[in-house]
Amino acid sequence: MAICMAGISKWFGKNQVVKELSLRVADGEFLVLLGASGSGKSTVLRMVAGLTMPDTGQILLNGMDITRTKPQERGFGYVFQNYSIFPHMTVAENIAFGLKIRKKNPAERRERVENLLHLVGMEGLGERYAGQLSGGQLQRVALARSLAYDPKVLLLDEPFGALDAKIRVQLRHSVRNIVREIGVTTIMVTHDQDEAFEMADRIAVLNQGRIEQVGGASDIYYNPTTCFTANFVGDMNMFEGTVTGSDTENCEIGLSGGVRIRRRGKHPFLPGQRVLYGVRPEQMRVSLLEPASHENGIPGVIENCLFLGRTSQYGIRLSDRRLLSVCLLNYLFMDGMTVPYEMNEEVWLIWSQGAGIILAHGEISVGPTAFEMEPEGRRQGFEG
Amino acid sequence: MNSKETKERERSSLLPAGFLVLVMLPLMLLPLAAVFLFALEEGPRMFLAALVTRDALFSLRFSLIIAFLTAAINLVLGTFAAFVLSKTRFPGRHQLGIILNLPVAIPTVVVGTSLLLLWGPIGIIGKMLDPLGIQPMFTVFGVLLAHIFVTFPYMVGAVKPVLDDLPITYEEAAITMGATRWQTFYHVVFPALRGGMITGALLAFAHSLGEFGATVMVSGNLRLRTQTAPLYIFSQFESGNLAAANSVAAILAVLSFVLFSLILYWTAQSGSRKVRQG
């Protein structure tokens, strides 16, 4: 069923945690609310569930106003971050709880529990107690329990937050498949970008109680419309600059360091306009040769390197003293060297003119690059 | 290897354990033993004879009934108080929590005196009730009131930590699954509280059984009317009737021992359950 949030707000004391938020989730859609802690994402989910009452605005279920409807009467499924599996009940009793409340007969309950245990891959574990299960199993029980009474909407509050990395990845796949198979409208809250990208049909990026952007994963990643989204979802190297030349298909920008770059594609910017230009670290490459005419390039000196195994992250000092971050796959292996470039080597940073984003220069200042945000202790020098 | 290590550890633990027993001997173990020794000094027949007097039997029965009523009333009152203190938010909640625990800190004799000053014939409320022919003090009601007052914090103390530790999301999970507030309490909160409630009720029962200070003030120590077992022991001891005092004392000691074993058992049970549930 479709859920519509229309201008909902929530104050906790003098602090407004959700600010006139409007969002529509289509029937059968998997929407992820992505935001840092304190962004208000869990409060939004709790308001949809009816566990927290919005101070203003409406929540509609298939067009019906459910803002004041009790959580008991909404018929939604909710998976809590700590799973909240009742410790004095067996797995089967936990899953059957919603059915028992709905006064379904025992035979029907048993059959449904069996089906759900099969669905979440926990056949034969129905008689266990929460204390006898692993974190991943608890999570599966929580999911099965919330699906038992065919919820109109499924709400997942950081459902993988308490699991270790490997199990988290496995469970993401299985939860995504289960939810897709059932076709239930789902809203999931997470701070984990990978999780959001992997599971969502659409992602809503939340910042300080407001939606920054809603869209598909690639849209959010490659076409962020705000500086916050650009920096929060993945890393972004940001430059300040002024549009120096523009036609319908190209935008030329003079960066503050004096370098001119070009961005192909339609754009709304006019010459003389102050803009922010951003490019992802992995869209750049490092070269000893100058860029070709169809490429953008900026000269710099390699200052440090972080060897990450599959990739290396380079810190490159530009002529305007800024340190830029570039992420490269370690496809080149040279004997005796961890990375193929040397400290203080003069290089070109080169990227496609089809890459990068341009944002109107508002009040927002350019944040530090991802590389500069790395803790000092993790930086490595060159070896060999 | 393992059993050898265990034996070694056991042997090295003998010294501190022995020392503990040595220190505790004059403090706890010997006085308790003395009660039984004195009680059985003249043989089991005399012990029984001292026990089956009308006064002794009344005092024991009266104490057990009062303890049972105290535990039952505090089970409801204490659980309710713990629920209010733990699950609701209102100004002065912490202060109320301290006030409700005061009976533990105040000497029981003072509790008895304050009850007299309120409900007694010259007390603030008692003065108004007296002309109506209602006299709550020096009656069963007075004893019960004192015992509820004195043991109330033990019940709250046993239940409140369990409620505090119970994440709100358990209740919220039940609510989102369609359970009403009452169903949530019955199916989710109550089973979690059961261990704490049993422990609290047993504690209240045990404390009520041994209560002396407040009881002696409010009961008037009227034989065959308001005389509890501890008051009977005291009275008999004072009048030099050691055999009677000791026989009831021995029974009280055994009852207390059984009760505390039960409490420890329940606490250990709910503790290990908690560990298992991780």
Side-chain angles (χ1 to χ4, degrees):
Chain A
M1 288 192 176
I3 278 275
C4 184
M5 293 160 238
I8 53 169
S9 298
K10 183 70 195 175
W11 278 266
F12 287 133
K14 283 181 180 167
N15 187 17
Q16 189 176 7
V17 287
V18 178
K19 296 166 185 166
E20 282 153 29
L21 181 140
S22 294
L23 185 63
R24 209 188 127 72
V25 189
D27 187 17
E29 187 181 22
F30 197 126
L31 182 113
V32 171
L33 290 171
L34 177 65
S37 62
S39 61
K41 55 190 191 303
S42 286
T43 308
V44 173
L45 202 71
R46 290 177 61 83
M47 287 196 282
V48 174
L51 295 171
T52 300
M53 206 47 74
D55 292 319
T56 65
Q58 281 184 313
I59 295 166
L60 308 168
L61 177 70
N62 272 1
M64 287 258 298
D65 187 355
I66 56 159
T67 320
R68 306 277 153 205
T69 308
K70 286 180 184 169
Q72 291 95 329
E73 289 157 20
R74 295 192 187 199
F76 291 0
Y78 200 112
V79 174
F80 291 85
Q81 188 172 3
N82 65 357
Y83 316 130
S84 296
I85 302 301
F86 305 137
H88 57 279
M89 294 184 200
T90 62
V91 165
E93 285 167 343
N94 262 285
I95 297 175
F97 185 79
L99 301 171
K100 193 172 165 187
I101 294 295
R102 284 167 178 73
K103 300 196 165 52
K104 301 283 180 199
N105 67 55
E108 200 180 333
R109 290 200 309 240
R110 255 196 310 276
E111 193 190 331
R112 183 84 181 117
V113 167
E114 285 305 315
N115 288 342
L116 282 162
L117 282 173
H118 173 74
L119 185 74
V120 298
M122 282 188 60
E123 296 100 329
L125 299 178
E127 293 313 306
R128 295 225 178 149
Y129 285 89
Q132 299 164 307
L133 301 179
S134 69
Q137 288 173 324
L138 285 172
Q139 206 274 345
R140 286 160 194 261
V141 177
L143 182 69
R145 187 174 71 171
S146 63
L147 291 174
Y149 44 93
D150 291 321
K152 293 169 187 157
V153 175
L154 180 64
L155 305 168
L156 310 170
D157 189 2
E158 302 254 12
F160 311 107
L163 302 171
D164 48 42
K166 211 163 190 176
I167 295 170
R168 202 183 304 169
V169 175
Q170 287 169 1
L171 268 180
R172 280 204 305 240
H173 289 293
S174 79
V175 170
R176 182 76 186 97
N177 292 339
I178 290 167
V179 170
R180 190 161 269 171
E181 195 181 313
I182 295 168
V184 60
T185 309
T186 306
I187 306 175
M188 183 176 96
V189 156
T190 184
H191 65 274
D192 186 319
Q193 177 201 315
D194 293 343
E195 215 166 279
F197 275 28
E198 193 175 318
M199 304 191 72
D201 293 325
R202 277 193 313 153
I203 298 168
V205 180
L206 241 74
N207 178 31
Q208 295 183 344
R210 283 185 216 282
I211 289 181
E212 290 274 336
Q213 190 170 351
V214 187
S218 66
D219 204 26
I220 297 272
Y221 194 72
Y222 286 121
N223 299 309
T225 53
T226 66
C227 204
F228 176 83
T229 310
N231 280 306
F232 183 69
V233 181
D235 300 328
M236 185 75 92
N237 287 313
M238 293 295 244
F239 301 89
E240 285 180 72
T242 310
V243 177
T244 52
S246 114
D247 57 41
T248 52
E249 290 302 318
N250 285 290
C251 183
E252 207 175 74
I253 303 165
L255 301 183
S256 51
V259 178
R260 271 167 196 259
I261 59 108
R262 187 190 289 271
R263 173 68 164 96
R264 285 199 309 271
K266 286 195 171 65
H267 64 90
F269 301 101
L270 296 169
Q273 202 173 342
R274 299 269 296 141
V275 291
L276 288 172
Y277 175 78
V279 60
R280 299 269 178 214
E282 73 275 10
Q283 290 175 322
M284 293 175 144
R285 65 189 165 87
V286 178
S287 173
L288 298 172
L289 306 172
E290 283 189 30
S293 63
H294 61 276
E295 291 174 321
N296 288 321
I298 195 165
V301 174
I302 296 207
E303 193 167 293
N304 52 33
C305 168
L306 197 62
F307 177 70
L308 301 171
R310 207 155 54 85
T311 57
S312 287
Q313 201 155 23
Y314 297 90
I316 294 170
R317 184 70 69 183
L318 305 183
S319 56
D320 65 353
R321 302 306 305 148
R322 272 191 65 195
L323 191 69
L324 217 65
S325 161
V326 185
C327 187
L328 294 182
L329 271 172
N330 289 329
Y331 66 96
L332 235 172
F333 176 74
M334 293 169 86
D335 241 355
M337 289 176 86
T338 311
V339 288
Y341 296 102
E342 286 185 26
M343 190 76 122
N344 296 322
E345 194 166 5
E346 285 185 13
V347 291
W348 280 89
L349 275 172
I350 297 173
W351 68 97
S352 161
Q353 290 181 351
I357 56 151
I358 312 172
L359 300 171
H361 196 338
E363 296 293 304
I364 314 149
S365 64
V366 181
T369 63
F371 198 78
E372 282 173 325
M373 284 160 75
E374 287 291 339
E376 279 295 318
R378 283 195 59 206
R379 289 190 192 165
Q380 294 175 356
F382 286 74
E383 287 167 28
Chain B
M1 182 72 188
N2 241 348
S3 69
K4 198 177 168 192
E5 263 176 31
T6 316
K7 268 188 188 155
E8 198 115 301
R9 191 176 296 167
E10 273 177 9
R11 208 170 303 142
S12 64
S13 307
L14 277 178
L15 190 68
F19 184 71
L20 181 67
V21 172
L22 216 73
V23 171
M24 295 319 280
L25 263 177
L27 274 177
M28 280 175 68
L29 304 176
L30 286 179
L32 274 176
V35 168
F36 288 95
L37 285 176
F38 268 92
L40 296 166
E41 199 181 30
E42 289 165 39
R45 192 165 297 166
M46 288 307 285
F47 171 79
L48 270 179
L51 199 62
V52 295
T53 62
R54 203 168 154 229
D55 282 26
L57 282 178
F58 173 86
S59 74
L60 272 173
R61 196 170 51 230
F62 184 61
S63 267
L64 284 171
I65 290 169
I66 289 288
F68 179 79
L69 287 176
T70 304
I73 292 168
N74 267 341
L75 190 66
V76 180
L77 269 184
T79 306
F80 175 71
F83 202 84
V84 170
L85 287 178
S86 180
K87 294 289 173 192
T88 58
R89 297 285 174 270
F90 55 89
R93 189 171 63 99
H94 289 291
Q95 288 81 345
L96 184 66
I98 294 167
I99 291 170
L100 290 182
N101 273 305
L102 271 184
V104 173
I106 300 175
T108 50
V109 178
V110 178
V111 172
T113 314
S114 52
L115 280 174
L116 274 180
L117 291 177
L118 184 70
W119 294 99
I122 55 154
I124 300 164
I125 299 179
K127 207 157 46 183
M128 289 181 272
L129 294 176
D130 208 31
L132 305 172
I134 302 169
Q135 172 60 269
M137 288 297 109
F138 317 122
T139 65
V140 178
F141 176 78
V143 176
L144 193 59
L145 202 67
H147 283 222
I148 290 170
F149 190 117
V150 169
T151 61
F152 180 75
Y154 296 105
M155 192 68 216
V156 180
V159 177
K160 190 175 171 287
V162 185
L163 270 175
D164 287 343
D165 283 350
L166 190 73
I168 185 80
T169 53
Y170 282 100
E171 290 159 69
E172 289 181 338
I175 286 170
T176 54
M177 284 187 272
T180 60
R181 280 186 84 86
W182 167 244
Q183 284 172 325
T184 304
F185 181 79
Y186 182 72
H187 290 295
V188 179
V189 180
F190 177 66
L193 288 190
R194 215 158 27 198
M197 285 169 81
I198 291 172
T199 309
L202 285 175
L203 269 173
F205 190 93
H207 275 273
S208 167
L209 207 57
E211 213 305 310
F212 182 81
T215 321
V216 79
M217 296 301 289
V218 301
S219 70
N221 197 7
L222 308 170
R223 58 179 283 268
L224 297 175
R225 278 174 63 195
T226 59
Q227 196 173 52
T228 61
L231 295 189
Y232 174 81
I233 296 167
F234 182 70
S235 302
Q236 296 302 316
F237 209 87
E238 262 202 334
S239 55
N241 193 354
L242 286 188
N246 284 330
S247 59
V248 175
I251 294 295
L252 266 195
V254 169
L255 272 176
S256 304
F257 181 76
V258 171
L259 274 175
F260 271 94
S261 305
L262 276 176
I263 292 168
L264 287 178
Y265 173 77
W266 269 106
T267 320
Q269 279 290 94
S270 51
S272 68
R273 208 164 18 223
K274 216 176 230 177
V275 169
R276 253 194 297 131
Q277 282 150 8

